[in-house]
Amino acid sequence: MVSVYHKDKLDAVVRLLDELGITIYSTGGTLDFITGLGVKAQSVESLTGYPSILGGRVKTLHPKVFGGILARRSHAQDMAALSEYGIPPIDLVIVDLYPFEETVRSGAGMQAVVEKIDIGGISLIRAAAKNFADTLIVSSRAQYPALIELLQSGKGAATLAMRRSFAAQAFQQSSHYDTAIFNYFNVQEKLPAFQQSIPDSMPLRYGENPHQEARFYGRLNDMLEQLHGKEISYNNLLDIDAAVALIGDFSETTFAVLKHNNACGCASDNHPLTAWRKALAGDPVSAFGGIIITNSPVDAECAKEINELFFEVIIAPDYSGEALELLQTKKNRIILVLKNTILPAVQFRSLLNGAVQQNRDTAVETPNDLTPVTTKKPSEKEISDLLFANKLVKHSKSNAIVLARDGQLLASGAGQTSRVDALKQAIAKAQAFGFSLQGAVMASDAFFPFPDCVAIAHEAGITAVIQPGGSINDEKSTSYCNENSMAMVTTGVRHFKH
């Protein structure tokens, strides 16, 4: 039985079936294609005695088709039924599915999408896969080379192990197809069911540690193109994900250096080389072995200085020929082109004996989102720095504090159990790398439960603060700022990241 939507590469298969003397039944356009090759085939209508009806919606849904597929050859009663009703046993089913996902991605309307929900095809796949003991199911044109090799080597015969393998692939195909249909309808219905299917994957060398197996599921090449270097590791992917999410919030020319998912250096400047130098200055120690990302093409001038640092991965929208030549001098260095920064709108992760799902934090505050809560209002320069720092604190592990000035990350404290500890860590790091904090700004990913953080920040020289607000003790922090001529704004948006 051959009934496919996609006809490409089918010719070699049907010619081989014809050479092997295998009787072919087919439908509609597939039948026309096969006979057009000069290969003999019989119509399904000649088998069932019924025409294709309802505009092609019903072609193969008939006992004479499914009986031939599902009959168990080792069961005398099944074979007697085939004989009684004149049903030929069907040993091979080649069928694919209507392009449902492609139709959805095209932006087609509901009616066009619904018409691409396959009924006969999915039924044939499941029936043949269920009866893999006797029937071979080929559910994708990607399997044609394997089918041809199988038919040639076995002269038309397949082993049980082969049929079981093809059946497993068929069930994966049908499961993915049904999941795509469900998720299309569930955009509106919002049924509380977690169903995801990602058929594309690639093995990773190992997980977070060498004793852990790992695999990436998805089409990484749709987002990134690897130009050079070793295989991307599990930990590389975690850092790359954090880097892409961070750089996506910046429109101005920006460089960032990340280590263990946190930015240890970041700067924005109209001149890419200046942005790079300021980003590296933020923490040249942590930058060793880190991930570099920029939203600006990398030229030779930048590449020459970047090449002086040992790092694992660099990500940019483009590289000049000379820059690429310089960066490729380290054979293991991973060089990636970022094709786009559009990340999935929904995030999920395994948790306990289940999974959790949430909408991605896509909030990026603007000047209109800031509410001054102190007598002293931040200057235009301070507002620019506050928004810069707020983007960085959003992408830092909680509890997080970011200190910045002139579009440069001076230091951050991330992943601390206390907000005070995060601030003290940031101040100590800034001072260790020779930064004065006079006139710097501070961003916090969550509110201040007490005024201790603003007091410590003031003593260090910080003049302006941005935070979500919302604590029952907000007034205490505000009062301290008023008493010490500090400016503070709230956003009403918390940016926890765990």
Side-chain angles (χ1 to χ4, degrees):
M1 173 65 65
V2 185
S3 180
V4 297
Y5 183 89
H6 302 95
K7 312 300 188 296
D8 50 306
K9 301 181 182 178
L10 181 63
D11 54 340
V13 174
V14 295
R15 290 186 194 280
L16 180 55
L17 293 175
D18 187 46
E19 289 174 14
L20 292 169
I22 296 172
T23 301
I24 300 173
Y25 289 94
S26 191
T27 62
T30 308
L31 179 64
D32 293 339
F33 176 83
I34 294 172
T35 55
L37 296 172
V39 174
K40 185 179 178 181
Q42 299 182 39
S43 69
V44 167
E45 290 86 350
S46 69
L47 172 63
T48 64
Y50 277 84
S52 172
I53 62 173
L54 306 183
R57 281 191 165 197
V58 181
K59 295 191 288 283
T60 58
L61 295 170
H62 193 281
K64 283 202 169 184
V65 173
F66 283 85
I69 294 170
L70 287 165
R72 293 160 292 186
R73 311 306 193 257
S74 60
H75 283 49
Q77 286 182 319
D78 285 9
M79 299 310 291
L82 295 192
S83 178
E84 180 181 355
Y85 296 106
I87 302 173
I90 296 176
D91 303 313
L92 171 63
V93 175
I94 302 173
V95 61
D96 62 11
L97 300 170
Y98 291 160
F100 177 83
E101 290 178 280
E102 293 86 340
T103 306
V104 172
R105 283 195 292 267
S106 73
M110 171 70 82
Q111 184 176 350
V113 169
V114 167
E115 287 304 315
K116 287 299 184 285
I117 297 176
D118 208 313
I119 303 301
I122 203 81
S123 301
L124 289 168
I125 286 174
R126 291 180 63 84
K130 176 178 179 176
N131 198 31
F132 69 89
D134 299 298
T135 306
L136 177 65
I137 173 63
V138 178
S139 55
S140 167
R141 63 191 187 278
Q143 297 172 308
Y144 290 172
L147 173 63
I148 290 172
E149 182 181 352
L150 180 157
L151 292 173
Q152 290 175 333
S153 62
K155 296 182 179 179
T159 65
L160 178 61
M162 292 173 180
R163 293 194 296 274
R164 182 187 175 96
S165 176
F166 274 77
Q169 296 174 63
F171 282 124
Q172 185 276 321
Q173 184 89 358
S174 65
S175 172
H176 175 76
Y177 195 76
D178 285 340
T179 298
I181 294 169
F182 168 76
N183 285 329
Y184 172 77
F185 280 91
N186 209 38
V187 169
Q188 180 173 327
E189 300 303 325
K190 306 293 184 186
L191 299 176
F194 179 79
Q195 290 183 226
Q196 296 291 332
S197 177
I198 306 174
D200 298 287
S201 70
M202 67 179 190
L204 303 174
R205 295 198 305 276
Y206 51 79
E208 284 186 282
N209 301 291
H211 63 278
Q212 295 172 268
E213 292 185 7
R215 177 174 286 270
F216 173 79
Y217 291 92
R219 300 177 63 172
L220 196 60
N221 289 338
D222 288 351
M223 177 166 282
L224 297 158
E225 178 185 0
Q226 184 168 355
L227 302 180
H228 181 76
K230 62 184 179 181
E231 290 181 11
I232 298 173
S233 71
Y234 181 97
N235 291 330
N236 290 154
L237 285 172
L238 293 178
D239 283 328
I240 291 168
D241 177 69
V244 170
L246 184 151
I247 208 70
D249 282 351
F250 288 88
S251 56
E252 55 273 73
T253 299
T254 300
F255 267 91
V257 185
L258 286 87
K259 197 76 170 284
H260 295 294
N261 309 158
N262 293 303
C264 57
C266 185
S268 296
D269 194 276
N270 290 331
H271 194 278
L273 183 60
T274 302
W276 162 246
R277 288 172 175 171
K278 290 170 70 175
L280 179 61
D283 188 345
V285 174
S286 295
F288 183 86
I291 302 284
I292 300 169
I293 191 166
T294 180
N295 56 7
S296 173
V298 175
D299 58 19
E301 186 180 35
C302 279
K304 185 177 180 181
E305 294 200 13
I306 292 170
N307 199 45
E308 295 172 3
L309 176 73
F310 169 75
F311 59 91
E312 288 270 340
V313 182
I314 183 168
I315 312 164
D318 198 9
Y319 305 85
S320 71
E322 191 177 349
L324 196 56
E325 188 176 341
L326 282 166
L327 295 171
Q328 287 176 333
T329 54
K330 303 295 184 182
K331 68 176 184 179
N332 288 330
R333 178 180 288 161
I334 297 170
I335 302 175
L336 301 174
V337 172
L338 182 60
K339 298 178 181 179
N340 68 74
T341 58
I342 302 173
L343 293 166
V346 175
Q347 297 173 302
F348 52 86
R349 65 197 296 183
S350 61
L351 197 75
L352 297 174
N353 61 342
V356 290
Q357 177 178 302
Q358 67 171 359
N359 293 335
R360 183 177 295 277
D361 182 0
T362 57
V364 179
E365 284 69 46
T366 69
N368 293 333
D369 299 313
L370 307 183
T371 302
V373 294
T374 51
T375 303
K376 182 179 180 181
K377 305 298 185 288
S379 65
E380 286 189 18
K381 176 183 174 301
E382 285 175 326
I383 288 175
S384 177
D385 283 337
L386 288 169
L387 293 173
F388 172 86
N390 201 55
K391 291 176 183 177
L392 289 174
V393 84
K394 166 188 168 182
H395 293 281
S396 302
K397 297 287 187 180
S398 301
N399 289 307
I401 293 288
V402 164
L403 308 179
R405 184 181 55 233
D406 298 328
Q408 179 184 21
L409 170 62
L410 303 180
S412 65
Q416 299 302 302
T417 54
S418 159
R419 196 159 303 282
V420 171
D421 287 344
L423 175 56
K424 289 180 177 179
Q425 181 189 65
I427 291 172
K429 286 189 70 173
Q431 293 172 343
F433 292 116
F435 288 112
S436 166
L437 293 176
Q438 294 298 320
V441 304
M442 174 175 73
S444 174
D445 63 337
F447 63 61
F448 300 117
F450 304 104
D452 44 7
C453 280
V454 291
I456 295 168
H458 172 251
E459 292 170 6
I462 289 160
T463 57
V465 178
I466 184 170
Q467 54 119 344
S471 168
I472 60 173
N473 289 325
D474 271 353
E475 184 55 38
K476 294 181 180 180
S477 294
T478 302
S479 296
Y480 183 92
C481 288
N482 283 333
E483 291 165 7
N484 292 276
S485 298
M486 295 177 72
M488 184 162 68
V489 297
T490 60
T491 64
V493 179
R494 189 181 72 184
H495 288 298
F496 268 169
K497 184 182 179 188
H498 295 96

